[in-house]
Amino acid sequence: MNAPMVKTEVRGRVALITLDRPKALNALNNALIDELGEALRKFDSDENIGAIVLTGSDKAFAAGADIGAMQDWNYIDVYKQDYLGGNWEALMRTRKPVIAAVAGYALGGGCELAMQCDFIIAADNARFGQPEIKLGVIPGFGGTQRLPRAIGKAKAMDLILTGRMMDAEEAERAGLVARVVPVERLLDEALEAAETIASYSLPSVLMAKECVNTAYEGALAETLMFERRNFHALFATEDQKEGMKAFVEKRKPNFKHR
Ligand code: CO8
């Protein structure tokens, strides 16, 4: 059996979920996402848990979807498995509040995973970005939809079209993250916030979350599907193959369609 890539622990009424695939900077693959989905479902239905913290390591929350795993997939592969559906959306089905405690890289699918949480507390070394454009694809896991909602169109376009990263200070200024704390304080701060939430009446917590999401996520289900299908469509291009192959081979891509 493969080693688990997601660790869980319970601290009082708070569940802590830690992504633990350090050699690949917590790159997200289907197996890791299935483990995450299972942990979220378990804690969401556990009446002793009132809030959840999702974190990675000091170096990476998650550096994106697993590029090596995706590089050879074609359009039919991603469309047939509805890649990024199923357990990839487990956070969206989680009713209890989930705080993302982000240190280091939160890139591509990693940034999108953090944005699926209810709010983000960032360490001062956190770096956010949607670098998919460098690979010949686009964000496919909510980035084109949640990032503009979070930080506005201008900055979202800047990040998505250039693929640049922003540091924690810029992310806080832009409204992507709720707080920035020194990296050594990150977990304590997130756990304290989660404990506070877990000390309140659960129905009011669940309703508060639902109400904010209703304001924030109107029409999101349809627009997310539009994004996902366009992401899938790019797997029909040679440039997706070249972009991902180049990353794996540690060289610059030579895109055909420029
Ligand atoms: N996938 C697979 N492996 C990765 C990934 C990744 N996304 N990111 C890093 N790794 C691996 C590297 O290949 C390397 O492995 P090895 O040691 O075996 O060569 C190891 O992690 C360490 O990485 P680096 O040596 O590159 O570390 P550096 O400190 O030099 O650089 C960076 C760190 C800047 C984070 C760099 O690794 C990087 O640019 N990573 C890729 C970032 C990226 O492009 N992310 C977007 C991926 S595409 C995506 O997320 C699609 C979105 C839509 C679907 C969303 C689903 C989640």
Side-chain angles (χ1 to χ4, degrees), residues 103-170:
Y105 296 111
L107 300 177
C111 185
E112 293 169 303
L113 191 73
M115 287 192 289
Q116 277 196 4
C117 296
D118 296 303
F119 63 94
I120 301 172
I121 300 183
D124 49 10
N125 74 342
R127 305 194 71 191
F128 297 87
Q130 297 288 162
E132 288 88 344
I133 201 87
K134 297 181 181 175
L135 301 169
V137 291
I138 59 170
F141 192 37
T144 66
Q145 303 304 305
R146 291 197 176 88
L147 197 60
R149 279 170 165 80
I151 67 175
K153 178 183 163 186
K155 219 176 238 303
M157 283 288 192
D158 174 7
L159 289 167
I160 290 169
L161 293 178
T162 68
R164 78 173 176 90
M165 294 186 217
M166 67 177 168
D167 63 18
E169 195 191 314
E170 184 180 357

Side-chain angles (χ1 to χ4, degrees), residues 11-238:
R11 300 200 187 175
R13 286 185 47 75
V14 173
L16 174 62
I17 302 180
T18 306
L19 306 179
D20 187 29
R21 198 188 170 204
K23 285 199 179 125
L25 301 181
N26 290 335
L28 309 168
N29 60 18
N30 285 333
L32 182 153
I33 287 294
D34 286 346
E35 286 182 40
L36 176 61
E38 199 178 308
L40 287 168
R41 275 191 298 279
K42 181 177 84 174
F43 292 130
D44 208 30
S45 61
D46 182 342
E47 61 184 23
N48 296 310
I49 297 298
I52 299 166
V53 172
L54 176 62
T55 196
S57 70
D58 281 358
K59 179 142 193 228
F61 177 73
D66 189 324
I67 300 167
M70 289 186 294
Q71 63 171 328
D72 292 328
W73 287 346
N74 62 33
Y75 172 68
I76 297 300
D77 294 328
V78 288
Y79 179 76
K80 253 179 36 186
Q81 62 169 302
D82 195 19
Y83 179 53
L84 306 175
N87 272 331
W88 289 89
E89 294 186 313
L91 270 168
M92 289 168 66
R93 292 190 290 268
T94 302
R95 296 187 72 205
K96 288 176 183 160
V98 184
I99 301 173
V102 175
Y105 296 111
L107 300 177
C111 185
E112 293 169 303
L113 191 73
M115 287 192 289
Q116 277 196 4
C117 296
D118 296 303
F119 63 94
I120 301 172
I121 300 183
D124 49 10
N125 74 342
R127 305 194 71 191
F128 297 87
Q130 297 288 162
E132 288 88 344
I133 201 87
K134 297 181 181 175
L135 301 169
V137 291
I138 59 170
F141 192 37
T144 66
Q145 303 304 305
R146 291 197 176 88
L147 197 60
R149 279 170 165 80
I151 67 175
K153 178 183 163 186
K155 219 176 238 303
M157 283 288 192
D158 174 7
L159 289 167
I160 290 169
L161 293 178
T162 68
R164 78 173 176 90
M165 294 186 217
M166 67 177 168
D167 63 18
E169 195 191 314
E170 184 180 357
E172 187 185 31
R173 226 174 30 241
L176 180 65
V177 312
R179 320 176 192 175
V180 178
V181 298
V183 64
E184 58 280 4
R185 277 277 312 147
L186 177 67
L187 210 50
D188 286 344
E189 187 96 0
L191 289 168
E192 279 164 26
E195 264 167 42
T196 302
I197 294 167
S199 73
Y200 298 137
S201 163
L202 185 63
S204 62
V205 166
L206 297 181
M207 283 184 207
K209 170 170 169 165
E210 256 175 35
C211 286
V212 173
N213 280 341
T214 305
Y216 176 77
E217 298 200 334
L220 192 63
E222 296 90 72
T223 60
L224 284 173
M225 189 51 85
F226 180 77
E227 177 201 64
R228 189 190 303 168
R229 291 293 179 241
N230 278 292
F231 175 74
H232 289 167
L234 285 164
F235 281 74
T237 66
E238 291 161 71

